[in-house]
Amino acid sequence: MALTVVMNIDRLLTQLTIDEKIAMLTGSDTWSTVPVKRLSIPSVVVSDGPHGLRKVKEERPGQDALQYPAVCFPTYSALAATWNDELAQQMGAAIAGDCIDNKVDVLLGPGVNMKRNPLCGRNFEYLSEDPYLAGRLGTALVNGVQSRGIGTSLKHFAGNSQEVDRFWVNSEIDERALREIYLPAFEKIVKEAKPWTVMCAYNLLNGVHCSQNRRLLFNILRKEWGFDGIVVSDWGAVHDRVESLKASLELEMPYCKTSFESLKKAYEEDRINEYDIDFAVEGILRLVKKVSEAADLRDKVKDTTDDRYNVSKQVADEAVTLLKNEDEILPISKKIKKLAVFGLAAADPTIQGGGSAGVTPIRKSAPLDYIRKLAGDDIEVVYAPCYNQMTLTSILEIQNLPAALNLAYEADMSLIFVSDTIRTELEGFDRNSIRLQPELEKMILQLTAVNPNTVVVVQAGSVIDMSEWFYKVKGVVYSWYLGGAGGESVADVLFGKVNPSGKTAETFPLCLEDTPAFDGIDSISLCDTDNDGSFGQGAYPCAYPGNGKVSWYREGMFIGYRFYDTWKKEVLIPFGFGLSYTQFEYSKLKIVQDENTARVECKIKNTGKCKGRETVQIYVRPVQPYVLRPEKELKGYVKVELEPNEQKTIKVELDERAFSYYSMNDFDWKVDKGYYEILVGSSSRDIKLTGKIKM
Ligand code: GLC
């Protein structure tokens, strides 16, 4: 039975010396807080990461640290494609299990920054371009982790939407975009799941570093939203420990040797007082108390690594997103006698992005192994890797193409596996293109020319521009970064053991130039001309990636489908899109309005031949609004599983916030009078039922 330390925080605050208190305000080392043995105050251990435990065993200068192996779950762009809150909660709880086994008290996740731009290197770690979807799934994740007595760190607060110049870029975000896009996921999770900590971001927000931005960390987070946990800095995000303390940042991570002196000097010079220090120390003591009081919850956890791996498999099953299925080429038919598989990614899949979220997977499945297993003796499987391991710098070359073309020619069907490798999607870097490497595109075109019965399977963290080849192949399966169980899941979907139900949580544009924050060649010309790792000091602020100092969110709240739908722009794949092996029929929309809220009901029926899951999406469209507002916004969704011919009634409650915008007149949320359409759809651009209400 774990020792539950009964802590009297008020008494401890009187017993701690000022030096002991000041020492507690920065980490003890990279991953733990400062204990005070004299008063039996233990240290709290924190560790990454969002899609699986990354606990460092041994730092190795100049190369990746040695890490304890853990279950590697699908990354967040994959989890978001499941639109399954219950599964997100189970994923959180399962990761907490690995934390308990490895004596970690707080998991440094979830990351819920918005996907403002598909180039962002950490998009694989984030959920969506839509704050409502990110808020719901983030709430479920935090509830899952904390249900087992492990804390979380909601990150990166706020406006951390690019990796380029991330330590010093100033995110210039107007108040409505901040309130309606960049804050709502944090707001919902803080209010509904009460994360033990919030991690402030590296960047500046409207001119002030997040780590010392009192309006953000105190006025909004604590006074407006009622946050009762502590703010921890991102690692190295504190620039002035005194200013960050005055902004109410309790815990600086990691250990910083100058912090004690600078705080002590400020205290002696009355630039800070004991109240400022006690505010932070009290918060840290509350965190220690939460950890010690949760010991019983942790003791009850009995699931095994296999149980957790099985949860990761369920998430992967529901994340796989079927984007194209011409002539119902999928699932692979029993009539197929010879199946050709191409691409290194089939044998050595990219299962996650790089950086602090990188998990050392305890198990990793390759699609090719499971394709062979499911093909059994009925289907002959031939394989050609075609290319070697891709890295950030090396230009890929296709090997033995003639032999591969021959295999494709002789096969009944081809599966081509491609990936955006770990070297293109990782922390600290943004991609400079959203297309596959040219050689991969060429390979797809050449193999498809020889055999049109081709399906491409993509492994990527964020969306890619597929327009070069998308219309030439018959099937496209987007498998995101699926973690260790992904190989099994992809094979199960290809052979129909799993009916795909994934729906993309990020729009696929036709090209990068169509994205809302794209500034054209000028912004690229501000690129890293002197190759010093940061962008040149451009003459004028631009949207993305900014001019080395300012990233100007001039697209405001119009990111993702909010931009494409309001500007009526064509896209390759709309937000919320994903196919199934079965079909669904929507009917009987009923809306019951009560003041500024509404209950939406409709019937959904499986009219196909196999069991399937469908995510019914509810969008709200203000009709001729007085203020500038997106054409539509996601305000509800329900995922249902239906047997063939089964019909269910779905019900979604739309609260007042669902109809509100952030008024710059009232500095508060407001519902304007007028008409609102309620759109029920299978994706943001496949609206099945429409109703109208009047406020
Ligand atoms: C990194 C990341 C953050 C991570 C932390 C600890 O720089 O920004 O997400 O949790 O440092 O590794």
Side-chain angles (χ1 to χ4, degrees), residues 31 48 108 122 155-156 166 199 202 234-235 356 427:
W31 303 111
D48 290 307
L108 298 173
R122 294 184 84 170
K155 66 189 187 181
H156 306 89
R166 69 172 174 157
M199 183 190 293
Y202 284 121
D234 199 339
W235 269 232
S356 63
E427 178 181 342

Side-chain angles (χ1 to χ4, degrees), residues 320-338:
V320 179
T321 309
L322 182 59
L323 297 180
K324 187 176 183 185
N325 193 15
E326 203 174 293
D327 303 343
E328 294 194 333
I329 189 169
L330 290 174
I332 294 170
S333 128
K334 290 289 173 224
K335 293 202 233 39
I336 295 285
K337 289 300 159 227
K338 188 166 191 177

Side-chain angles (χ1 to χ4, degrees), residues 47 53-58 65-71 102 104 358-362:
S47 212
L53 178 65
R54 169 189 172 248
K55 183 175 182 181
V56 171
K57 191 182 220 176
E58 181 198 328
L66 209 54
Q67 299 173 179
Y68 293 95
V71 176
N102 288 275
V104 167
V359 176
T360 298
I362 202 153

Side-chain angles (χ1 to χ4, degrees), residues 295-586:
D296 294 352
L297 274 177
R298 294 197 291 271
D299 286 352
K300 284 190 200 114
V301 173
K302 299 291 175 234
D303 64 342
T304 65
T305 297
D306 282 349
D307 299 332
R308 295 163 199 162
Y309 181 84
N310 291 337
V311 171
S312 76
K313 168 71 168 58
Q314 287 173 52
V315 178
D317 286 353
E318 293 200 27
V320 179
T321 309
L322 182 59
L323 297 180
K324 187 176 183 185
N325 193 15
E326 203 174 293
D327 303 343
E328 294 194 333
I329 189 169
L330 290 174
I332 294 170
S333 128
K334 290 289 173 224
K335 293 202 233 39
I336 295 285
K337 289 300 159 227
K338 188 166 191 177
L339 177 66
V341 182
F342 301 98
L344 178 73
D348 179 12
T350 305
I351 64 171
Q352 59 185 328
S356 63
V359 176
T360 298
I362 202 153
R363 272 173 67 180
K364 178 176 173 183
S365 60
L368 183 61
D369 297 342
Y370 288 85
I371 287 168
R372 286 197 164 117
K373 207 164 127 188
L374 293 174
D377 302 332
D378 308 338
I379 303 176
E380 182 197 354
V381 176
V382 292
Y383 172 62
C386 291
Y387 56 89
N388 53 21
Q389 182 53 41
M390 289 186 281
T391 61
L392 189 62
T393 49
S394 76
I395 296 296
L396 195 78
E397 76 261 348
I398 303 299
Q399 293 144 353
N400 310 325
L401 186 64
L405 292 171
N406 202 33
L407 285 181
Y409 180 73
E410 289 172 354
D412 301 316
M413 177 178 175
S414 298
L415 299 176
I416 305 175
F417 283 78
V418 290
S419 80
D420 215 0
T421 67
I422 195 170
R423 291 284 164 232
T424 54
E425 297 195 66
L426 79 157
E427 178 181 342
F429 297 85
D430 285 350
R431 292 186 287 171
N432 52 29
S433 162
I434 60 169
R435 289 179 58 170
L436 291 171
Q437 295 212 22
E439 290 70 17
L440 286 186
E441 291 186 337
K442 233 183 290 170
M443 177 185 83
I444 292 171
L445 293 172
Q446 287 164 325
L447 288 169
T448 307
V450 162
N451 184 339
N453 292 330
T454 295
V455 172
V456 174
V457 182
V458 182
Q459 296 158 6
S462 187
V463 298
I464 61 172
D465 166 3
M466 301 182 280
S467 46
E468 186 70 14
W469 48 269
F470 186 84
Y471 300 106
K472 303 230 170 54
V473 301
K474 284 196 177 168
V476 178
V477 173
Y478 218 77
S479 65
W480 307 105
Y481 285 155
L482 287 177
E488 291 186 60
S489 293
V490 165
D492 284 347
V493 165
L494 291 169
F495 282 87
K497 264 185 77 178
V498 167
N499 182 357
S501 62
K503 301 235 178 199
T504 178
E506 184 182 354
T507 304
F508 285 75
L510 283 169
C511 58
L512 183 63
E513 289 71 10
D514 279 1
T515 53
F518 186 78
D519 259 331
I521 190 62
D522 294 338
S523 72
I524 304 296
S525 71
L526 288 174
C527 262
D528 186 3
T529 42
D530 42 6
N531 212 13
D532 68 351
S534 83
F535 285 76
Q537 305 303 317
Y540 71 100
C542 63
Y544 172 86
N547 60 8
K549 279 188 183 309
V550 178
S551 187
W552 176 30
Y553 287 44
R554 62 163 168 67
E555 73 282 357
M557 53 194 152
F558 297 96
I559 68 168
Y561 71 90
R562 285 174 171 78
F563 171 70
Y564 303 114
D565 292 2
T566 308
W567 267 257
K568 305 268 181 280
K569 277 185 101 70
E570 261 322 290
V571 295
L572 186 66
I573 304 287
F575 173 82
F577 179 88
L579 297 172
S580 169
Y581 292 147
T582 186
Q583 294 74 42
F584 299 99
E585 184 185 79
Y586 289 60

